[in-house]
Structure formats: structure tokens, C-alpha cells
Amino acid sequence: MMSSTKLFIITVLSLLLWTCGDNPNGKKSNFSLKTGATNNTIALGETLKLSIDNPKNKTISEITYHLNGKTVEDNFTTNNLPLGVHQLTAKVTYEDTSEETSTNITVLNDKAPVIYSYKILNEYPHDITSYTQGLEFYNGILYESTGQYGESKLRKVKHETGENIKSINLDNQFFGEGLTVLNDKVYQLTWKEGIGLVYNAETLEKTGSFNYGKSKEGWGLCNDGKVIYKSDGSNKIWKLNSETLAEEDYIQIFTNTGKIDNLNELEYINGKIYANIYQRNGVLIINPENGAVEGVIDFSPLQKLVKQHPDLDVLNGIAYNPTTKTIFVTGKDWDKLFEVEVFVK
């Protein structure tokens, strides 16, 4: 019988790839762009060999190639490319005219994720009525954001006892999601309302708000001290300017086999982004530079160690305590907060 860990990894990593090609002006092109890659999919570090298919034997005087709008050579390696889908365009000049043709390529990671396991160091009480959406330590205090319409809240907690230091309720029209704390400010997402809320980290007094850009929804937040990272339930993690909170860029999260959607709660730990996968009870370890999934942690056995009740839901909530240098995880309506040590299996 297949082990639960193997089943989890297969479920996470069995993903759908896609390719497509088109002509930017919507007209049928005289040419087509060839990449030399099977199904227009290539691994990080491999070389793309670009060429033009010219079935009508037009007299071509010049060809220029562009990747995401930047000029590239007809042969180039993908060493420094972020993972995911990129647009390749060829501008073909012939017979005193020019025409563009394009296609998409998908860049995968060049190695499979490392499989991690964990050891439980401590168990602490957790509010069983908290539908955990965000979790983060700041100045020794655990901050938690919870969801559900009419029940969402933001709270500061003594993690050793589960005692509330301070808690505020969100207005009923908001479904609370992920949070992060930076420079004495708490940033909390809402789910479908397209707005983030800003608070004073000490008093939890609301001091402002911000609107989302192109990201679909609000799911998870974390920060590296300069950049705020935001998930929206897709395979993208958006990079927000920490001063303006504008979405300036994004990374696409891919393994060596394909993309991973449903990225949820986030935590930045020692140069990597740790991301919960919604409904999977697992955590990805992601390279924030290129979106590569470098590790996978299966936390699914933890759900059996908490009180079983009708409202019990999946793992969601991961926080790094810089004082103890350990990771804390919990879930939606769990009665326990687990302190764990993570290691390569």
C-alpha cells in the first residue's frame, strides 16, 4: 500500500503543463516560432534554440527575438530566468514589411524538491474557535488572523498559554486572511473584498488600508524585511512595495514537473518562503528569486493529534520564532499549536 507521505508528494507534484502560441495582431501569420523544446517546455539551465518556420518561402531580411519584451539571441540558456510561463516573440522583416509571431514557453525547475520531515518539540493550547489564516511572531508575540464572515479577528497571543493579549473583531463584511508584521505595522488581508487592512502593531488600532492590484484575492502574506509577499490562491506570489503596498512584480511557483496552485498562508524563513497549500496539509519551501519549489514538508499527521470535532479543518498557519529558531504550525479550528523542528528526510 502506498504510504501517506508518498501519496501526498505525488498529489502535490502531479501537475498539468500547458503551451500555446499566437500572433499578437490576431491575424494568421506567414511564420511560426520554433523553440527547439518539446511542448515548448524546458528545464532551468537548458538552452533554447530559436528559429522561424517559413512555409511560404518568404525572403527574410532580418529576424529579432524577444523574451517578455527584451531582446534575446536565437540561442540562449535559461539559467537566470524565473520559472513559469514566458512569452517569446519573433519580429520577422521581409519584402519591405514586418510581422510578429509569438509563442509561450514554460521553464521548470531542474531538480525535484527535497522531501522534509519534522519532529514535534512542544504542543501548546490554541483557540479551537479560531479559523486560522495568518500566523507570525513579532517581538516575541504571536500575531494571528482568523477568517469566516462575522467571525474574523486579529489577535495578539501568548503562544505558551494561548492567552489573548489583545483581540479585535473585523467588520462583518470582511473575511480575514493572511497577515504579516513589518516596522511596527500589521498588514492583514481580506479574502474577496479586494482590500488589505493596516494596524498599529502595539495597539491593533486600524491606521489605514490598501487596495489589491492584479492579484485575484487575498490569501497569505509574509515579508523579508523589505519586500512584502502576497499569495492569491493561484500559483503566483506577488511582490509588494512595503512603502506604497503596490504590486510591483510576481514569481510563479513551479517544481520540475509543473506549477502548484492554491498557495495560501506564507512565512519567510532564512531566505526562503514557506507556503501552505490549501487543502493539502503540506508546506512548500520556495526560492523567492525564481519561484522554484526546493522542498516539501508533509504535516498531514498533525491533524490526527488535535481534537476531532465537526468544524475541524485543514492545516493553515506557519510561523517562525527567531528567538527559539523553531517553526510553529496550527490549523483552522485546531486546539493545538505545534512547535516543530524540520529536517531533510
Side-chain angles (χ1 to χ4, degrees), residues 80-125:
N80 298 317
L81 280 183
L83 303 187
V85 180
H86 303 270
Q87 185 181 62
L88 274 170
T89 302
K91 182 178 181 180
V92 183
T93 302
Y94 70 101
E95 300 170 6
D96 297 324
T97 189
S98 64
E99 187 177 303
E100 288 188 354
T101 182
S102 69
T103 190
N104 286 346
I105 62 163
T106 301
V107 181
L108 304 177
N109 200 20
D110 58 347
K111 56 179 69 72
V114 175
I115 308 304
Y116 285 75
S117 189
Y118 65 91
K119 174 184 177 183
I120 298 175
L121 302 177
N122 288 294
E123 298 180 7
Y124 302 103

Short mmCIF file of all heavy atoms in Angstrom, two decimals, residues 80-125:
data_model
loop_
_atom_site.label_atom_id
_atom_site.label_comp_id
_atom_site.label_asym_id
_atom_site.label_seq_id
_atom_site.Cartn_x
_atom_site.Cartn_y
_atom_site.Cartn_z
N ASN A 80 19.21 32.13 -15.71
CA ASN A 80 18.80 33.22 -14.83
C ASN A 80 17.32 33.59 -14.96
O ASN A 80 16.90 34.63 -14.46
CB ASN A 80 19.66 34.46 -15.12
CG ASN A 80 21.13 34.20 -14.84
OD1 ASN A 80 21.47 33.60 -13.83
ND2 ASN A 80 21.99 34.64 -15.74
N LEU A 81 16.56 32.75 -15.62
CA LEU A 81 15.14 33.05 -15.80
C LEU A 81 14.32 32.62 -14.58
O LEU A 81 14.57 31.57 -13.99
CB LEU A 81 14.57 32.31 -17.02
CG LEU A 81 14.84 32.90 -18.40
CD1 LEU A 81 14.13 32.06 -19.46
CD2 LEU A 81 14.37 34.34 -18.48
N PRO A 82 13.35 33.43 -14.19
CA PRO A 82 12.37 32.93 -13.22
C PRO A 82 11.59 31.77 -13.84
O PRO A 82 11.45 31.69 -15.06
CB PRO A 82 11.45 34.14 -13.00
CG PRO A 82 12.21 35.32 -13.48
CD PRO A 82 13.09 34.82 -14.58
N LEU A 83 11.10 30.88 -13.00
CA LEU A 83 10.33 29.75 -13.51
C LEU A 83 8.95 30.21 -13.96
O LEU A 83 8.48 31.28 -13.61
CB LEU A 83 10.19 28.68 -12.43
CG LEU A 83 11.48 28.12 -11.84
CD1 LEU A 83 11.18 26.94 -10.92
CD2 LEU A 83 12.48 27.73 -12.90
N GLY A 84 8.32 29.37 -14.79
CA GLY A 84 6.96 29.65 -15.20
C GLY A 84 6.83 29.96 -16.67
O GLY A 84 7.70 29.62 -17.49
N VAL A 85 5.72 30.59 -17.02
CA VAL A 85 5.36 30.86 -18.41
C VAL A 85 5.92 32.20 -18.85
O VAL A 85 5.75 33.21 -18.15
CB VAL A 85 3.82 30.84 -18.58
CG1 VAL A 85 3.45 31.12 -20.03
CG2 VAL A 85 3.26 29.50 -18.13
N HIS A 86 6.57 32.22 -20.00
CA HIS A 86 7.14 33.43 -20.58
C HIS A 86 6.72 33.53 -22.04
O HIS A 86 6.55 32.51 -22.71
CB HIS A 86 8.66 33.42 -20.49
CG HIS A 86 9.19 33.27 -19.09
ND1 HIS A 86 9.45 34.34 -18.28
CD2 HIS A 86 9.50 32.16 -18.37
CE1 HIS A 86 9.89 33.91 -17.10
NE2 HIS A 86 9.93 32.58 -17.14
N GLN A 87 6.61 34.75 -22.52
CA GLN A 87 6.25 34.94 -23.92
C GLN A 87 7.48 35.21 -24.77
O GLN A 87 8.28 36.09 -24.47
CB GLN A 87 5.26 36.10 -24.10
CG GLN A 87 4.77 36.23 -25.54
CD GLN A 87 3.81 37.39 -25.75
OE1 GLN A 87 4.18 38.53 -25.55
NE2 GLN A 87 2.58 37.08 -26.15
N LEU A 88 7.61 34.42 -25.84
CA LEU A 88 8.65 34.63 -26.85
C LEU A 88 8.01 35.23 -28.09
O LEU A 88 6.96 34.75 -28.54
CB LEU A 88 9.31 33.31 -27.23
CG LEU A 88 10.47 32.82 -26.38
CD1 LEU A 88 10.82 31.39 -26.76
CD2 LEU A 88 11.70 33.72 -26.55
N THR A 89 8.62 36.26 -28.63
CA THR A 89 8.12 36.89 -29.84
C THR A 89 9.25 37.04 -30.85
O THR A 89 10.38 37.37 -30.48
CB THR A 89 7.53 38.28 -29.53
OG1 THR A 89 6.48 38.15 -28.58
CG2 THR A 89 6.98 38.94 -30.80
N ALA A 90 8.94 36.78 -32.11
CA ALA A 90 9.89 37.00 -33.20
C ALA A 90 9.33 38.07 -34.12
O ALA A 90 8.18 37.98 -34.56
CB ALA A 90 10.13 35.72 -33.97
N LYS A 91 10.15 39.07 -34.41
CA LYS A 91 9.79 40.08 -35.41
C LYS A 91 10.53 39.75 -36.68
O LYS A 91 11.76 39.75 -36.71
CB LYS A 91 10.15 41.48 -34.92
CG LYS A 91 9.74 42.57 -35.90
CD LYS A 91 10.07 43.96 -35.37
CE LYS A 91 9.64 45.03 -36.35
NZ LYS A 91 9.95 46.40 -35.84
N VAL A 92 9.78 39.43 -37.71
CA VAL A 92 10.35 38.98 -38.98
C VAL A 92 10.18 40.11 -40.01
O VAL A 92 9.06 40.55 -40.28
CB VAL A 92 9.66 37.70 -39.48
CG1 VAL A 92 10.32 37.21 -40.77
CG2 VAL A 92 9.70 36.62 -38.40
N THR A 93 11.30 40.55 -40.60
CA THR A 93 11.27 41.57 -41.64
C THR A 93 11.48 40.88 -42.99
O THR A 93 12.44 40.11 -43.16
CB THR A 93 12.35 42.63 -41.41
OG1 THR A 93 12.15 43.22 -40.13
CG2 THR A 93 12.29 43.71 -42.48
N TYR A 94 10.60 41.16 -43.94
CA TYR A 94 10.67 40.52 -45.26
C TYR A 94 9.96 41.39 -46.29
O TYR A 94 8.96 42.06 -45.98
CB TYR A 94 10.03 39.12 -45.22
CG TYR A 94 8.53 39.15 -45.05
CD1 TYR A 94 7.67 38.96 -46.13
CD2 TYR A 94 7.96 39.37 -43.80
CE1 TYR A 94 6.29 39.00 -45.96
CE2 TYR A 94 6.58 39.40 -43.62
CZ TYR A 94 5.75 39.22 -44.71
OH TYR A 94 4.39 39.27 -44.55
N GLU A 95 10.47 41.45 -47.47
CA GLU A 95 9.82 42.12 -48.61
C GLU A 95 9.24 43.47 -48.23
O GLU A 95 8.08 43.78 -48.46
CB GLU A 95 8.73 41.19 -49.18
CG GLU A 95 9.27 39.85 -49.66
CD GLU A 95 8.18 38.86 -50.00
OE1 GLU A 95 6.99 39.25 -49.96
OE2 GLU A 95 8.52 37.68 -50.29
N ASP A 96 10.08 44.30 -47.59
CA ASP A 96 9.72 45.67 -47.20
C ASP A 96 8.56 45.75 -46.21
O ASP A 96 7.85 46.75 -46.14
CB ASP A 96 9.37 46.51 -48.44
CG ASP A 96 10.53 46.67 -49.38
OD1 ASP A 96 11.68 46.78 -48.89
OD2 ASP A 96 10.31 46.68 -50.60
N THR A 97 8.35 44.69 -45.47
CA THR A 97 7.33 44.72 -44.41
C THR A 97 7.84 43.89 -43.24
O THR A 97 8.90 43.26 -43.30
CB THR A 97 5.99 44.17 -44.91
OG1 THR A 97 4.99 44.41 -43.91
CG2 THR A 97 6.07 42.67 -45.21
N SER A 98 7.10 43.89 -42.15
CA SER A 98 7.48 43.10 -40.98
C SER A 98 6.24 42.51 -40.34
O SER A 98 5.13 43.01 -40.51
CB SER A 98 8.25 43.94 -39.96
OG SER A 98 7.45 44.97 -39.45
N GLU A 99 6.47 41.44 -39.61
CA GLU A 99 5.37 40.71 -38.99
C GLU A 99 5.88 40.07 -37.71
O GLU A 99 7.05 39.68 -37.62
CB GLU A 99 4.90 39.64 -39.98
CG GLU A 99 3.67 38.89 -39.58
CD GLU A 99 3.26 37.91 -40.69
OE1 GLU A 99 3.04 38.36 -41.83
OE2 GLU A 99 3.19 36.71 -40.40
N GLU A 100 5.00 39.95 -36.72
CA GLU A 100 5.38 39.31 -35.47
C GLU A 100 4.63 38.01 -35.28
O GLU A 100 3.45 37.89 -35.66
CB GLU A 100 5.11 40.24 -34.28
CG GLU A 100 6.06 41.41 -34.19
CD GLU A 100 5.90 42.19 -32.90
OE1 GLU A 100 4.96 41.87 -32.13
OE2 GLU A 100 6.70 43.11 -32.65
N THR A 101 5.30 37.05 -34.69
CA THR A 101 4.68 35.79 -34.30
C THR A 101 5.20 35.43 -32.92
O THR A 101 6.34 35.77 -32.57
CB THR A 101 4.98 34.67 -35.31
OG1 THR A 101 4.31 33.47 -34.90
CG2 THR A 101 6.47 34.39 -35.43
N SER A 102 4.39 34.80 -32.11
CA SER A 102 4.81 34.54 -30.74
C SER A 102 4.34 33.17 -30.27
O SER A 102 3.45 32.55 -30.86
CB SER A 102 4.28 35.62 -29.80
OG SER A 102 2.88 35.54 -29.67
N THR A 103 4.93 32.74 -29.18
CA THR A 103 4.52 31.51 -28.51
C THR A 103 4.92 31.62 -27.05
O THR A 103 5.72 32.49 -26.67
CB THR A 103 5.18 30.28 -29.16
OG1 THR A 103 4.58 29.09 -28.64
CG2 THR A 103 6.68 30.22 -28.90
N ASN A 104 4.37 30.78 -26.21
CA ASN A 104 4.76 30.74 -24.80
C ASN A 104 5.70 29.58 -24.55
O ASN A 104 5.56 28.51 -25.15
CB ASN A 104 3.54 30.58 -23.90
CG ASN A 104 2.73 31.85 -23.79
OD1 ASN A 104 3.19 32.93 -24.16
ND2 ASN A 104 1.52 31.74 -23.28
N ILE A 105 6.65 29.79 -23.66
CA ILE A 105 7.48 28.70 -23.16
C ILE A 105 7.27 28.58 -21.66
O ILE A 105 6.93 29.56 -20.99
CB ILE A 105 8.97 28.90 -23.46
CG1 ILE A 105 9.50 30.17 -22.77
CG2 ILE A 105 9.25 28.92 -24.95
CD1 ILE A 105 11.00 30.21 -22.67
N THR A 106 7.43 27.37 -21.16
CA THR A 106 7.33 27.12 -19.72
C THR A 106 8.68 26.65 -19.21
O THR A 106 9.22 25.66 -19.71
CB THR A 106 6.25 26.07 -19.41
OG1 THR A 106 4.99 26.52 -19.91
CG2 THR A 106 6.14 25.84 -17.92
N VAL A 107 9.22 27.36 -18.23
CA VAL A 107 10.51 26.99 -17.62
C VAL A 107 10.24 26.29 -16.30
O VAL A 107 9.60 26.83 -15.40
CB VAL A 107 11.39 28.23 -17.39
CG1 VAL A 107 12.73 27.81 -16.79
CG2 VAL A 107 11.61 28.99 -18.69
N LEU A 108 10.72 25.05 -16.20
CA LEU A 108 10.57 24.24 -14.98
C LEU A 108 11.86 24.26 -14.18
O LEU A 108 12.92 24.60 -14.70
CB LEU A 108 10.22 22.80 -15.35
CG LEU A 108 8.99 22.57 -16.23
CD1 LEU A 108 8.86 21.08 -16.55
CD2 LEU A 108 7.74 23.09 -15.56
N ASN A 109 11.76 23.87 -12.92
CA ASN A 109 12.98 23.72 -12.14
C ASN A 109 13.79 22.54 -12.68
O ASN A 109 13.24 21.62 -13.31
CB ASN A 109 12.65 23.51 -10.66
CG ASN A 109 13.83 23.82 -9.76
OD1 ASN A 109 14.76 24.52 -10.17
ND2 ASN A 109 13.81 23.32 -8.55
N ASP A 110 15.08 22.54 -12.41
CA ASP A 110 15.95 21.50 -12.95
C ASP A 110 16.15 20.33 -12.00
O ASP A 110 16.88 19.39 -12.30
CB ASP A 110 17.31 22.08 -13.35
CG ASP A 110 18.02 22.76 -12.18
OD1 ASP A 110 17.36 23.00 -11.14
OD2 ASP A 110 19.21 23.05 -12.29
N LYS A 111 15.49 20.38 -10.85
CA LYS A 111 15.60 19.26 -9.90
C LYS A 111 14.32 19.11 -9.11
O LYS A 111 13.56 20.08 -8.94
CB LYS A 111 16.80 19.44 -8.97
CG LYS A 111 16.78 20.74 -8.19
CD LYS A 111 17.98 20.84 -7.25
CE LYS A 111 19.28 20.99 -8.00
NZ LYS A 111 19.43 22.33 -8.62
N ALA A 112 14.08 17.92 -8.63
CA ALA A 112 12.88 17.65 -7.82
C ALA A 112 13.04 18.25 -6.43
O ALA A 112 14.16 18.39 -5.92
CB ALA A 112 12.65 16.14 -7.72
N PRO A 113 11.93 18.61 -5.77
CA PRO A 113 12.02 19.14 -4.40
C PRO A 113 12.58 18.09 -3.44
O PRO A 113 12.34 16.89 -3.59
CB PRO A 113 10.56 19.46 -4.06
CG PRO A 113 9.84 19.54 -5.36
CD PRO A 113 10.54 18.59 -6.27
N VAL A 114 13.30 18.58 -2.46
CA VAL A 114 13.79 17.72 -1.38
C VAL A 114 12.63 17.45 -0.43
O VAL A 114 11.83 18.34 -0.12
CB VAL A 114 14.94 18.41 -0.63
CG1 VAL A 114 15.37 17.58 0.58
CG2 VAL A 114 16.11 18.66 -1.58
N ILE A 115 12.51 16.21 0.03
CA ILE A 115 11.43 15.83 0.94
C ILE A 115 11.90 16.02 2.39
O ILE A 115 12.94 15.50 2.79
CB ILE A 115 10.99 14.38 0.72
CG1 ILE A 115 10.68 14.15 -0.76
CG2 ILE A 115 9.79 14.05 1.59
CD1 ILE A 115 9.64 15.08 -1.34
N TYR A 116 11.13 16.79 3.16
CA TYR A 116 11.46 17.06 4.55
C TYR A 116 10.49 16.33 5.48
O TYR A 116 9.35 16.04 5.12
CB TYR A 116 11.36 18.56 4.85
CG TYR A 116 12.50 19.38 4.31
CD1 TYR A 116 12.59 19.67 2.96
CD2 TYR A 116 13.48 19.89 5.17
CE1 TYR A 116 13.64 20.43 2.45
CE2 TYR A 116 14.53 20.66 4.68
CZ TYR A 116 14.61 20.93 3.33
OH TYR A 116 15.64 21.68 2.83
N SER A 117 10.98 16.05 6.67
CA SER A 117 10.13 15.54 7.73
C SER A 117 10.23 16.49 8.92
O SER A 117 10.87 17.55 8.82
CB SER A 117 10.55 14.12 8.14
OG SER A 117 9.60 13.55 9.03
N TYR A 118 9.63 16.14 10.04
CA TYR A 118 9.61 17.04 11.18
C TYR A 118 9.59 16.26 12.48
O TYR A 118 9.23 15.08 12.53
CB TYR A 118 8.39 17.98 11.11
CG TYR A 118 7.07 17.24 11.23
CD1 TYR A 118 6.48 17.03 12.47
CD2 TYR A 118 6.45 16.72 10.10
CE1 TYR A 118 5.29 16.33 12.58
CE2 TYR A 118 5.25 16.03 10.20
CZ TYR A 118 4.68 15.84 11.45
OH TYR A 118 3.52 15.12 11.55
N LYS A 119 9.96 16.95 13.54
CA LYS A 119 9.90 16.40 14.90
C LYS A 119 9.14 17.40 15.76
O LYS A 119 9.42 18.60 15.73
CB LYS A 119 11.32 16.21 15.44
CG LYS A 119 11.38 15.78 16.90
CD LYS A 119 12.82 15.71 17.37
CE LYS A 119 12.93 15.36 18.85
NZ LYS A 119 14.34 15.36 19.32
N ILE A 120 8.15 16.91 16.50
CA ILE A 120 7.39 17.78 17.41
C ILE A 120 8.23 18.05 18.66
O ILE A 120 8.65 17.12 19.35
CB ILE A 120 6.05 17.15 17.80
CG1 ILE A 120 5.17 16.95 16.56
CG2 ILE A 120 5.33 18.03 18.82
CD1 ILE A 120 3.87 16.21 16.86
N LEU A 121 8.47 19.33 18.94
CA LEU A 121 9.23 19.72 20.11
C LEU A 121 8.33 20.05 21.29
O LEU A 121 8.64 19.71 22.44
CB LEU A 121 10.11 20.94 19.80
CG LEU A 121 11.10 20.77 18.64
CD1 LEU A 121 11.84 22.08 18.39
CD2 LEU A 121 12.08 19.65 18.92
N ASN A 122 7.20 20.73 21.00
CA ASN A 122 6.26 21.12 22.06
C ASN A 122 4.87 21.25 21.48
O ASN A 122 4.70 21.45 20.26
CB ASN A 122 6.66 22.47 22.69
CG ASN A 122 7.90 22.37 23.55
OD1 ASN A 122 7.89 21.71 24.59
ND2 ASN A 122 8.96 23.04 23.12
N GLU A 123 3.87 21.11 22.34
CA GLU A 123 2.49 21.37 21.98
C GLU A 123 1.93 22.42 22.93
O GLU A 123 2.14 22.33 24.14
CB GLU A 123 1.65 20.09 22.08
CG GLU A 123 2.10 18.98 21.14
CD GLU A 123 1.25 17.73 21.28
OE1 GLU A 123 0.23 17.79 22.01
OE2 GLU A 123 1.59 16.71 20.67
N TYR A 124 1.23 23.40 22.35
CA TYR A 124 0.67 24.48 23.14
C TYR A 124 -0.82 24.60 22.86
O TYR A 124 -1.29 24.20 21.79
CB TYR A 124 1.36 25.82 22.80
CG TYR A 124 2.85 25.80 23.02
CD1 TYR A 124 3.72 25.69 21.94
CD2 TYR A 124 3.39 25.90 24.30
CE1 TYR A 124 5.09 25.69 22.13
CE2 TYR A 124 4.77 25.89 24.50
CZ TYR A 124 5.61 25.79 23.41
OH TYR A 124 6.96 25.76 23.60
N PRO A 125 -1.59 25.17 23.78
CA PRO A 125 -3.03 25.34 23.52
C PRO A 125 -3.29 26.39 22.45
O PRO A 125 -2.57 27.39 22.34
CB PRO A 125 -3.58 25.78 24.88
CG PRO A 125 -2.41 26.35 25.61
CD PRO A 125 -1.22 25.59 25.14
#
